[in-house]
Amino acid sequence: MSPAELLDLLGRDFMQRALLAALLTGLAAPAIGTFIVQRRLALLGDGIGHVAVTGVALGLLTGASPTWTAVVVAVLGAVLIEVIREKGHTNGDVALALLFYGGLAGGVLISGLAGDGAAGLQVYLFGSVTSISPTEVWYTAVLALVVLTFTLGLLPQLFAVASDPEFAKVAGLRVRAYNLLVAVLAAVSVTVAMRTVGLLLVSALMVVPVATSQQLARSFRSTLLWAMVLGGVAAVGGLVVAAWLSARATVAPGPSIVLLALAMFAATWPVGVWVRRRRRLTEPFPALGTGTPGPHEVDEHPHQHGDDCGHPAVRHEDHVDYVHDGHRHAPHGEHYDEH
């Protein structure tokens, strides 16, 4: 497909709707995903996505909008898993497994009763953003706005609860209420993204941009903002790639969006390793304590430090320190300077 043909395709009404829905999804999913990753619940979106399959099937069975039935069922499932985790009746992994199996099996069974079978769930399982209707774009916009309003408006509180629940509780925050809010917003994000990347891949859009942002960002706030930018770029870029490839084969936008997000992570991972090493070497030394030994003569030191001495080397301004017996020191003339 030539660039002119691609631009003509992107200018059509259905592609304009698809691009807008993809951008909204790319912004909302990583926003709430940042808190989920911070709580080490990266697979929560996957579990909720499987539960939402049952909601979609209920919509197909009853003739109601699958989007709204999926929202209701996904929210109920998210609240249930949060309650199970908090009560400690079982661990998070087992609760997620129950949602995986029960949600997917229930969805396939109910869609069969509705006469659609698994084929009726296809557009929701793997996404079909190019067929999204104007009404569904409005649904997506409203739900994405709800997610962004709560996540950005309550950023300090949600960060405190996700990072240190005990401190948040002492500070007077209602930890249970905020945890439930994060679960509910995650459920809403899943239903927002189900027409874009599909329920089986939605968790990737909530987690991968966050993991990519963590390679470069230095604070939680910058991680969240960069994750939203990267999510938007991946969603829109993946859709454009799928449209460009459509001249040769039938390519679903969902997988191309996820693969583009993974490619961005693979590209930034080496940079992240280098940046973290650079930060570690340049971070200031802690103040000397009373137990830190003072400078001592070279003759008193039975060990010659160097590249092969086995002690970690840390660059310090114009010289190299070596970590030795709990402190860092460097040869200086006839003695060692202790740091």
Side-chain angles (χ1 to χ4, degrees):
M1 178 182 293
S2 67
E5 292 174 330
L6 178 61
L7 289 176
D8 178 65
L9 178 61
L10 296 178
R12 298 182 183 180
D13 289 343
F14 76 94
M15 282 302 298
Q16 294 289 308
R17 293 194 298 270
L19 288 170
L20 179 58
L23 177 62
L24 292 170
T25 303
L27 294 175
I32 191 63
T34 305
F35 299 99
I36 293 175
V37 172
Q38 183 72 17
R39 294 180 59 194
R40 300 181 184 278
L41 293 173
L43 292 179
L44 178 63
D46 242 346
I48 296 174
H50 282 67
V51 173
V53 176
T54 297
V56 170
L58 285 173
L60 297 175
L61 179 66
T62 61
S65 168
T67 299
W68 292 112
T69 54
V71 169
V72 173
V73 174
V75 167
L76 291 176
V79 172
L80 177 62
I81 190 174
E82 189 59 38
V83 171
I84 292 174
R85 279 174 34 81
E86 183 183 287
K87 296 297 182 183
H89 294 322
T90 184
N91 59 47
D93 290 341
V94 175
L96 285 172
L98 295 175
L99 291 177
F100 270 51
Y101 306 140
L104 189 57
V108 174
L109 175 64
I110 295 174
S111 66
L113 295 176
D116 290 315
L121 297 174
Q122 191 77 7
V123 296
Y124 299 97
L125 292 177
F126 298 101
S128 181
V129 69
T130 53
S131 63
I132 193 168
S133 67
T135 302
E136 290 174 316
V137 173
W138 277 109
Y139 291 166
T140 301
V142 170
L143 294 174
L145 182 62
V146 169
V147 173
L148 293 175
T149 300
F150 278 101
T151 52
L152 298 179
L154 297 175
L155 176 59
Q157 294 89 336
L158 295 178
F159 169 70
V161 172
S163 300
D164 192 343
E166 295 300 323
F167 169 78
K169 187 177 296 182
V170 172
L173 296 177
R174 297 181 177 179
V175 175
R176 174 188 294 178
Y178 284 113
N179 283 337
L180 285 174
L181 177 61
V182 170
V184 169
L185 293 177
V188 174
S189 299
V190 167
T191 53
V192 167
M194 70 179 182
R195 289 302 306 272
T196 307
V197 295
L199 292 171
L200 295 183
L201 294 174
V202 62
S203 187
L205 199 54
M206 299 174 73
V207 173
V208 177
V210 180
T212 305
S213 178
Q214 287 178 331
Q215 301 302 315
L216 306 175
R218 302 190 62 173
S219 69
F220 184 83
R221 184 184 296 272
S222 60
T223 298
L224 187 148
L225 296 177
W226 273 112
M228 292 173 59
V229 172
L230 293 170
V233 171
V236 174
L239 178 57
V240 172
V241 170
W244 179 65
L245 293 175
S246 63
R248 300 181 178 180
T250 301
V251 179
S256 64
I257 291 172
V258 173
L259 289 175
L260 180 58
L262 288 171
M264 294 165 69
F265 173 79
T268 57
W269 180 75
V271 180
V273 171
W274 180 81
V275 169
R276 287 191 293 273
R277 176 178 171 79
R278 184 71 179 171
R279 289 175 188 162
R280 187 170 58 253
L281 296 180
T282 57
E283 63 184 9
F285 292 142
L288 290 176
T290 55
T292 304
H296 55 266
E297 301 298 327
V298 173
D299 292 343
E300 299 174 358
H301 202 288
H303 184 83
Q304 182 67 37
H305 286 301
D307 294 338
D308 300 325
C309 71
H311 291 91
V314 181
R315 177 161 294 281
H316 181 203
E317 297 178 351
D318 59 346
H319 62 276
V320 175
D321 290 334
Y322 293 91
V323 179
H324 182 92
D325 289 341
H327 62 280
R328 288 180 277 195
H329 64 188
H332 185 195
E334 299 300 324
H335 66 276
Y336 279 93
D337 288 335
E338 304 297 332
H339 300 108

